[in-house]
Amino acid sequence: MSEDIRWEVVEESALTLPDHEAIAAMLGQAFPSWSHWYVGGRDYAGMQPERRVVGWGADGTVLAHVGIRRMFITVGGQDVLVGDTGIVAVSPRLQGSGVGRELLVRTRAVLEGLRVPYGFLGAGEDRIPFYAHMGWHEVDGAVGTFSAFTAEGVGVNETEQGGWMVLPVEAQLEDWPTGEIMLNGQQV
């Protein structure tokens, strides 16, 4: 990593409007096809996180970000407490520099501090190898359903097959239940 980054774990309620705006600006750059979501201080896609890991540049820009929220999801009819992990992003100019690996190491530490059985996230097919390298496991053949909203605020139900990943934290991977995944709400 060639850039100095100040890492911080932040409670959602401690973020200021300028913090939210800085996070939103980086998310818009990292996810250009979703940049219409990240306007002003809107720095989440579904549900606001409970905690965030933020990597700040010396100039106050956000260089890396992840949001985490504890929630129960239903897997094969069984309720499972997870640390729902989302809006994982690294500034485009730093992608491939090791910042993403550092972000996920710090994410794991936050999940351990929350004492959740598993971290949980939905990943695009192109990102699965990266997460797998960092200890996450794709749930084979998993179908997940969640509530979502369009950028205009219209509620929709979404179902996605594949890309659902878990990170054993306080539980063992073999204890993850089988069956359809119902997020019982929105993703972070």
Side-chain angles (χ1 to χ4, degrees):
M1 289 184 284
S2 59
E3 188 140 356
D4 286 334
I5 298 176
R6 178 179 55 87
W7 292 98
E8 183 178 26
V9 176
V10 187
E11 300 282 338
E12 187 68 13
S13 61
L15 291 168
T16 65
L17 180 56
D19 294 338
H20 287 290
E21 291 170 339
I23 293 167
M26 191 278 291
L27 293 174
Q29 294 169 7
F31 304 113
S33 62
W34 291 89
S35 62
H36 62 286
W37 276 97
Y38 306 115
V39 293
R42 184 185 170 108
D43 56 359
Y44 57 94
M47 186 169 39
Q48 282 184 281
E50 151 185 10
R51 295 217 173 95
R52 298 176 188 244
V53 179
V54 183
W56 298 94
D59 61 356
T61 60
V62 173
L63 301 175
H65 175 272
V66 66
I68 302 166
R69 181 177 196 87
R70 286 173 283 200
M71 63 185 276
F72 280 95
I73 64 174
T74 304
V75 183
Q78 180 179 338
D79 287 339
V80 180
L81 177 63
V82 298
D84 187 39
T85 303
I87 41 183
V88 182
V90 171
S91 172
R93 67 187 167 92
L94 292 175
Q95 291 175 2
S97 70
V99 172
R101 286 188 299 276
E102 180 66 21
L103 178 63
L104 286 188
V105 166
R106 291 172 181 274
T107 298
R108 182 183 191 100
V110 171
L111 291 166
E112 289 170 354
L114 292 172
R115 301 185 59 89
V116 293
Y118 302 97
F120 180 81
L121 61 79
E125 189 174 317
D126 61 332
R127 304 244 182 337
I128 291 171
F130 169 71
Y131 288 112
H133 178 74
M134 297 303 298
W136 293 77
H137 302 270
E138 185 175 13
V139 180
D140 290 332
V143 175
T145 302
F146 57 96
S147 300
F149 289 92
T150 67
E152 296 77 30
V154 177
V156 295
N157 282 328
E158 295 284 336
T159 298
E160 294 181 4
Q161 184 160 352
W164 299 106
M165 302 191 80
V166 297
L167 176 71
V169 179
E170 297 246 326
Q172 301 298 313
L173 182 60
E174 55 269 12
D175 294 330
W176 180 262
T178 59
E180 188 171 342
I181 299 168
M182 301 295 291
L183 272 70
N184 305 320
Q186 299 176 8
Q187 292 180 279
V188 167

